[in-house]
Amino acid sequence: MTTHLWQEQAVEENGLTTVSATIETANQAQYRLWYRVQAEHGSLLTQSCDPFVVATIFIAMKHGTDMVVHGEVSPSLLQNLAEFQAAWACWRSDLYKQVEITPEVEREQPVANRVHRVISAFSGGVDSCLTAFRHSQEGHSRVQRPLQAGLMVHGLDIPLSEPQIFNRAAQKSRLTLASLGLELIPMVTNFREFEQDWEDSHGVAVASCLMLLQGGYSEGLIPSSLPYHALVLPWGSNPLTDPLLSSRTFAIVHDGAAFTRAEKVKQLAQWREALQNLRVCWEGDRKDRNCGHCEKCIQTILNFRAVGLGLPPCFDQDIADEEILQVLKKTLLIDYALLLADAKANSISDSWVTNLEKFIARNQGHISLVGAE
């Protein structure tokens, strides 16, 4: 029993370039995975099957069947994916099995440019804004990378059925990045139409989108969600397995895990356009703006409070203690423990800090994971 992957010819139509692949699983179910960019960015797209192999690795592992790729794959990527699979098969042995990937052709891809160029995933949230900001400012010479652009993907956090919402959100991101001299590249994909566990697969989703653009870039950044000292595994994007989605000529880098969320917003306070356009909400009716009432919005507002900052202009109104308590009653996230530590480190002693401290004390041992932006 084998999973097959066929890459299809790129199609240019109505100013858009679409690349796709057909995946046939062991039970002979067929899927078409596609990605779409504006035709002006078509020259950035790789002709390799590398991005499609990354995108479908969990599908093959879930079926427990070897994969035959009818196309070209980088041998260095295959080597890394063997270790990637080993990690996930250990973490989720009930769901995933290690499989063999056999391409028709094994060949390393050419280096995109003599000049090192970097692109970062960019949603407009705290994590991606911090990555864009820290790689665009002077004073970080040892860790700073030559970031040129941000990639925002329709079909991941904003559903394909909401193109106008995505366009408005992308315009905010475009203005935000432009203030740093960075370009925004929009992309569309149907990745989430496949039956995959999003908590496990969001890292490969982002990595595959970045890797598609290796015709113009040699490194892709995935902004971190949790800091090194509070990692929770397994989680789809993490500093252990994200780099294993790399090939010799295109590196995937997990970026920003040295900072808590509150430490990130403290740095972003220096960036006016980010404070105006920050987009963290994924539960509200309008995903191009912040509802101000969901868990993610409330958590972000508290992160600003935790470092002694006021309400940023991306939120229409502040929150009351009652709203905070209602969110805490639903679930306790590991980020709240980090938030409390940051608030105490900054000598914040407001009523919400006291309530948060009491709630965490009552619920020790029930800390769960928060989603990435």
Side-chain angles (χ1 to χ4, degrees), residues 123 127 198 202 223-226 235 237 261 282 296 370-373:
S123 67
D127 302 325
W198 182 243
H202 65 265
S224 66
S225 53
L226 291 171
W235 185 243
S237 175
R261 192 68 57 85
W282 56 270
K296 199 62 173 287
V370 69
E373 292 178 48

Side-chain angles (χ1 to χ4, degrees), residues 142-190:
R142 290 292 183 184
V143 298
Q144 196 168 40
R145 289 176 161 83
L147 186 63
Q148 303 291 319
L151 174 67
M152 188 168 180
V153 185
H154 184 196
L156 297 186
D157 63 333
I158 298 178
L160 290 175
S161 60
E162 301 179 354
Q164 293 182 341
I165 296 291
F166 176 80
N167 289 339
R168 287 195 291 267
Q171 180 58 20
K172 288 184 177 181
S173 294
R174 186 173 289 107
L175 293 172
T176 302
L177 290 177
S179 70
L180 298 177
L182 302 177
E183 179 185 11
L184 178 76
I185 298 178
M187 181 181 287
V188 189
T189 181
N190 68 334

Side-chain angles (χ1 to χ4, degrees), residues 135-147:
H135 291 292
S136 303
Q137 303 300 302
E138 296 182 359
H140 301 284
S141 58
R142 290 292 183 184
V143 298
Q144 196 168 40
R145 289 176 161 83
L147 186 63

Side-chain angles (χ1 to χ4, degrees), residues 215-228:
Y217 302 92
S218 54
E219 194 169 81
L221 308 183
I222 298 182
S224 66
S225 53
L226 291 171
Y228 286 123

Side-chain angles (χ1 to χ4, degrees), residues 128-339:
S128 60
C129 280
L130 187 278
T131 287
F133 188 69
R134 70 191 292 255
H135 291 292
S136 303
Q137 303 300 302
E138 296 182 359
H140 301 284
S141 58
R142 290 292 183 184
V143 298
Q144 196 168 40
R145 289 176 161 83
L147 186 63
Q148 303 291 319
L151 174 67
M152 188 168 180
V153 185
H154 184 196
L156 297 186
D157 63 333
I158 298 178
L160 290 175
S161 60
E162 301 179 354
Q164 293 182 341
I165 296 291
F166 176 80
N167 289 339
R168 287 195 291 267
Q171 180 58 20
K172 288 184 177 181
S173 294
R174 186 173 289 107
L175 293 172
T176 302
L177 290 177
S179 70
L180 298 177
L182 302 177
E183 179 185 11
L184 178 76
I185 298 178
M187 181 181 287
V188 189
T189 181
N190 68 334
F191 179 93
R192 292 201 70 172
E193 292 181 351
F194 290 75
E195 294 182 4
Q196 301 190 69
D197 186 327
W198 182 243
E199 290 191 356
D200 293 349
S201 66
H202 65 265
V204 300
V206 175
S208 70
C209 294
L210 291 167
M211 188 169 281
L212 270 168
L213 302 177
Q214 63 182 288
Y217 302 92
S218 54
E219 194 169 81
L221 308 183
I222 298 182
S224 66
S225 53
L226 291 171
Y228 286 123
H229 65 281
L231 294 178
V232 176
L233 298 173
W235 185 243
S237 175
N238 64 78
L240 297 181
T241 57
D242 282 1
L244 295 174
L245 301 172
S246 304
S247 69
R248 185 179 300 169
T249 55
F250 190 85
I252 294 293
V253 176
H254 187 88
D255 184 76
F259 307 98
T260 65
R261 192 68 57 85
E263 290 169 339
K264 290 178 180 181
V265 302
K266 188 173 184 178
Q267 292 192 49
L268 294 181
Q270 308 168 55
W271 185 10
R272 178 174 58 86
E273 288 81 4
L275 297 184
Q276 291 174 336
N277 298 315
L278 195 66
R279 184 184 69 90
V280 302
C281 185
W282 56 270
E283 290 186 63
D285 295 334
R286 296 280 301 277
K287 296 177 179 61
D288 59 329
R289 62 185 63 183
N290 300 314
C291 72
H293 304 290
C294 70
E295 188 276 331
K296 199 62 173 287
C297 285
I298 289 176
Q299 183 192 139
T300 302
I301 292 172
L302 294 182
N303 274 300
F304 276 90
R305 289 186 185 182
V307 292
L309 298 173
L311 185 73
C314 59
F315 293 99
D316 292 333
Q317 58 185 19
D318 212 338
I319 51 175
D321 282 2
E322 292 74 17
E323 289 185 271
I324 300 171
L325 289 172
Q326 287 301 316
V327 167
L328 292 177
K329 289 176 182 177
K330 295 178 181 180
T331 180
L332 177 63
L333 306 177
I334 191 170
D335 274 341
Y336 283 120
L338 298 172
L339 176 63

Side-chain angles (χ1 to χ4, degrees), residues 35-97:
Y35 302 82
R36 186 171 294 139
V37 297
Q38 295 169 353
E40 64 187 276
H41 301 304
S43 62
L44 302 176
L45 299 174
T46 180
Q47 297 181 7
S48 165
C49 290
D50 288 3
F52 293 102
V53 173
V54 167
T56 56
I57 187 64
F58 279 115
I59 294 176
M61 292 179 68
K62 188 173 182 179
H63 285 276
T65 57
D66 293 342
M67 180 189 295
V68 174
V69 181
H70 302 273
E72 188 173 294
V73 182
S74 301
S76 56
L77 174 64
L78 295 175
Q79 184 177 43
N80 284 333
L81 285 179
E83 190 66 22
F84 177 91
Q85 291 185 71
W88 279 94
C90 286
W91 289 335
R92 303 293 300 272
S93 59
D94 57 324
L95 286 181
Y96 305 123
K97 308 296 181 187

